[in-house]
Amino acid sequence: MTMTTAGVIFILTLVAALVAVYKPFGDYMFRAVSGTKQSRVERGIFRLIGVNPAAEQTWGVYARSVLAFSAISLLFLYLFQRVQNHLWLSLGFDPVVPHGAWNTAVSFVANTNWQSYSGESTMGHLVQMAGLAVQNFVSSAVGIAVAVALLRGFARSRTGQLGNFWVDLTRITLRILLPVAVLGAIALMIGGAVQNLSGGTDVTTLTGGTQTITGGPVASQEVIKLLGTNGGGFYNVNSAHPFENPTSWTNWLEIFLILLIPFSLPRVFGRMVGQNRQGYAIAAVMGILAVASVAITNIFELAGHGTVPQAVGAALEGKEVRFDVSNSATFAAATTLTSTGAVNSFHDSFTSLGGMMTMVNMMLGEVAPGGTGSGLYGLLILAVITVFVAGLMVGRTPEYLGKKISSREIKFASLYFLITPILVLTGTAAAFATGNNSTALNVGPHGLSEVLYAFTSASNNNGSAFGGITVNTTWWDTALGLCMLLGRFLPIIFVLALAGSLARQAPTPASEGTLPTHRPLFIGMVVGVTVVLVALTFLPALALGPLAEGL
């Protein structure tokens, strides 16, 4: 069997599995976020934090709850890292330096999981388990909660109530993320992933030398980093490490976990607005963009564009031979199409055009299928922009799901879309203007690509990197931390404001002039608007970086 054939089978089985779970898992998530009954554990949590689960919130209160919870989480995680040398299971590690602790705290709270450190030599087990892994759960739950609030905005009329953030956060964590994470961790341990509290074991190598084999609670953190589209690995080399990703079938499982929730959330959308076909339409947009990206990335990597890859017959630099070129390219596409950022190969070593595709995936807004929650609400923002454009074409007030898209709604959608490009391009320019663009090995177009990739990854809350650039400095930790913070929470505020505006509207009956938003025409229009907006925004930067290098 050729590498190409094996890669096609790998992708087809992934697609089949995601199609198979779309309805049952989507329905399960719908019941989890829409049910009114509280479990005993949930009632205990609500009493502990003083929350009335029957009380709902306006969009402003919901947003303040998100920001307050995230601010407290950021402060706790920062302090946790700063005092880790006094904690149990610290493994003798020193406190994390202030700028590194700031960057890491922002990164994990913002669901970015950018890591400017080596986890196995910087973080003790308690910080990994009670700090980083906990944020892997709750930061992804925040994204899903915000998406659910937006869905309520579409589904409800003449009300300012969008649900209760604390109830949503608790239910999503306990009913969705935790059960799947437990099952996934068991599966990874069966596959060979490490799960212990070992500080390391000294062994003798074949050449007579000594080596320390590090251990830790790896499988439990690995599964939620993927399921929650977080991406922060226990080890420095992330999912390229055999303790995190031991075999080819665990590699398949990890990609499946990355895509499971984002691809199933459109089913929740369809159920909440009472039209399953609307969910199928959004899932179709995600699927078209995702399949195109995976295919193009595989083509570029399998073609091995470049002098050395052409000479040796493959672009294997930076790739694990356990996963070959195709499965590495598929993993890279999946993690950059979502907000995961985990890697089983090194994107900096991809071919120029293959590396460009990982950047383009993030520049699309990570909506195909995107992060947990953030992918769905990002794509719905693009759908709102699409119906607005369509309305201008025919001279009608645009409508989406019975809600008029007026100047107020399109302002929120436009501000949402503009935040990330402003952060990416301003950050990249600032790095060059201040002389902080130096890289370890590369200059010219690839050096520009490394800087552009860093700010694209941080601003889109992805967390992957072109590894040739040194980013563990005060300037970089501060700049990227600000991009992660603003790139996460400013869009959330505009999404919730849009949700509140939609929820207050009275329903508008469909007429002959209403654009059907479940048919192939609309699906194609959303795909086109997504691609065109990205091309108009980022093409000049790409032309100076990966395109110049590739051509």
Side-chain angles (χ1 to χ4, degrees):
M1 182 183 298
T2 65
M3 185 187 302
T4 302
T5 303
V8 170
I9 294 173
F10 187 92
I11 294 168
L12 290 178
T13 55
L14 268 174
V15 172
L18 291 169
V19 170
V21 301
Y22 172 81
K23 183 177 179 179
F25 190 66
D27 287 345
Y28 172 76
M29 288 196 291
F30 169 73
R31 292 191 296 270
V33 299
S34 300
T36 56
K37 293 183 178 180
Q38 313 295 335
S39 70
R40 183 175 301 176
V41 174
E42 291 167 351
R43 288 195 297 269
I45 292 173
F46 297 146
R47 283 196 296 268
L48 180 64
I49 62 178
V51 168
N52 177 8
E56 295 205 358
Q57 299 171 322
T58 62
W59 82 263
V61 178
Y62 203 103
R64 288 196 293 273
S65 299
V66 171
L67 296 177
F69 175 76
S70 301
I72 293 171
S73 298
L74 194 157
L75 179 62
F76 171 80
L77 189 54
Y78 175 84
L79 293 175
F80 213 18
Q81 296 173 80
R82 295 291 293 141
V83 301
Q84 79 159 346
N85 57 314
H86 300 295
L87 302 176
W88 179 56
L89 292 176
S90 67
L91 306 181
F93 293 148
D94 294 329
V96 181
V97 297
H99 60 83
W102 143 264
N103 183 277
T104 303
V106 171
S107 175
F108 277 77
V109 170
N111 198 239
T112 310
N113 298 54
W114 173 277
Q115 293 174 288
S116 59
Y117 60 89
S118 298
E120 65 268 42
S121 60
T122 306
M123 302 291 183
H125 290 342
L126 188 62
V127 174
Q128 293 268 24
M129 291 186 296
L132 305 186
V134 167
Q135 285 306 312
N136 282 349
F137 278 95
V138 296
S139 66
S140 75
V142 167
I144 298 173
V146 172
V148 170
L150 178 59
L151 301 189
R152 293 188 184 118
F154 281 111
R156 296 179 177 183
S157 300
R158 300 187 180 94
T159 179
Q161 308 301 310
L162 294 177
N164 188 305
F165 168 72
W166 306 104
V167 173
D168 291 338
L169 178 72
T170 303
R171 284 180 173 177
I172 291 164
T173 303
L174 296 182
R175 299 187 185 190
I176 299 174
L177 297 174
L178 191 58
V180 180
V182 170
L183 295 175
I186 293 171
L188 288 179
M189 284 188 284
I190 292 173
V194 171
Q195 182 73 18
N196 57 44
L197 294 177
S198 170
T201 303
D202 293 330
V203 298
T204 302
T205 66
L206 293 175
T207 59
T210 60
Q211 181 179 354
T212 300
I213 305 298
T214 57
V218 178
S220 57
Q221 185 165 330
E222 180 74 6
V223 68
I224 189 56
K225 96 174 187 188
L226 301 163
L227 179 66
T229 61
N230 297 283
F234 190 92
Y235 295 102
N236 184 42
V237 294
N238 211 272
S239 290
H241 200 293
F243 288 0
E244 289 194 27
N245 192 4
T247 66
S248 181
W249 74 262
T250 60
N251 192 58
W252 185 96
L253 176 63
E254 293 194 1
I255 299 176
F256 175 76
L257 288 170
I258 290 170
L259 301 174
L260 174 60
I261 292 177
F263 262 126
S264 299
L265 276 173
R267 175 70 179 183
V268 181
F269 170 55
R271 291 291 303 273
M272 290 191 75
V273 299
Q275 299 182 52
N276 285 330
R277 60 189 184 181
Q278 299 291 344
Y280 290 131
I282 294 299
V285 175
M286 290 179 172
I288 291 169
L289 291 170
V291 169
S293 172
V294 170
I296 294 171
T297 305
N298 270 273
I299 289 170
F300 285 151
E301 288 305 296
L302 289 169
H305 176 73
T307 304
V308 175
Q310 290 290 335
V312 300
L316 280 169
E317 180 190 340
K319 297 183 176 68
E320 267 287 329
V321 293
R322 291 176 294 142
F323 307 133
D324 69 51
V325 172
S326 180
N327 291 354
S328 297
T330 300
F331 196 102
T335 61
T336 51
L337 283 166
T338 61
S339 64
T340 311
V343 296
N344 73 349
S345 56
F346 290 93
H347 300 176
D348 201 21
S349 296
F350 274 36
T351 62
S352 54
L353 298 181
M356 179 190 69
M357 285 304 303
T358 60
M359 271 193 277
V360 170
N361 291 339
M362 293 184 286
M363 291 170 177
L364 285 171
E366 294 175 334
V367 294
T372 51
S374 61
L376 178 60
Y377 64 66
L379 191 53
L380 289 176
I381 292 289
L382 287 166
V384 167
I385 294 174
T386 301
V387 296
F388 178 76
V389 172
L392 293 178
M393 290 179 178
V394 297
R396 281 182 55 91
T397 300
E399 303 166 10
Y400 188 42
L401 300 176
K403 300 297 177 74
K404 290 187 179 296
I405 307 302
S406 64
S407 60
R408 178 181 176 84
E409 287 75 31
I410 202 63
K411 285 176 184 176
F412 290 138
S414 300
L415 287 170
Y416 174 97
F417 179 80
L418 289 172
I419 289 168
T420 301
I422 290 172
L423 292 174
V424 172
L425 299 177
T426 302
T428 302
F432 281 91
T434 58
N436 286 283
N437 60 299
S438 59
T439 66
L441 300 173
N442 299 293
V443 294
H446 195 75
L448 171 62
S449 295
E450 289 177 341
V451 176
L452 180 63
Y453 194 109
F455 281 100
T456 301
S457 178
S459 302
N460 283 281
N461 300 126
N462 185 270
S464 61
F466 270 13
I469 187 168
T470 302
V471 293
N472 57 344
T473 64
T474 301
W475 190 92
W476 275 102
D477 279 341
T478 303
L480 294 178
L482 289 172
C483 285
M484 289 185 280
L485 199 64
L486 297 174
R488 172 69 165 181
F489 294 107
L490 284 180
I492 282 177
I493 292 172
F494 292 126
V495 167
L496 292 173
L498 175 63
S501 180
L502 293 171
R504 286 192 296 269
Q505 290 189 27
T508 301
S511 64
E512 291 184 359
T514 301
L515 172 68
T517 54
H518 61 279
R519 294 179 181 172
L521 174 62
F522 181 73
I523 294 170
M525 288 181 67
V526 176
V527 171
V529 166
T530 304
V531 173
V532 169
L533 285 177
V534 171
L536 291 174
T537 306
F538 291 108
L539 185 58
L542 292 172
L544 294 173
L547 282 172
E549 182 185 2
L551 298 176

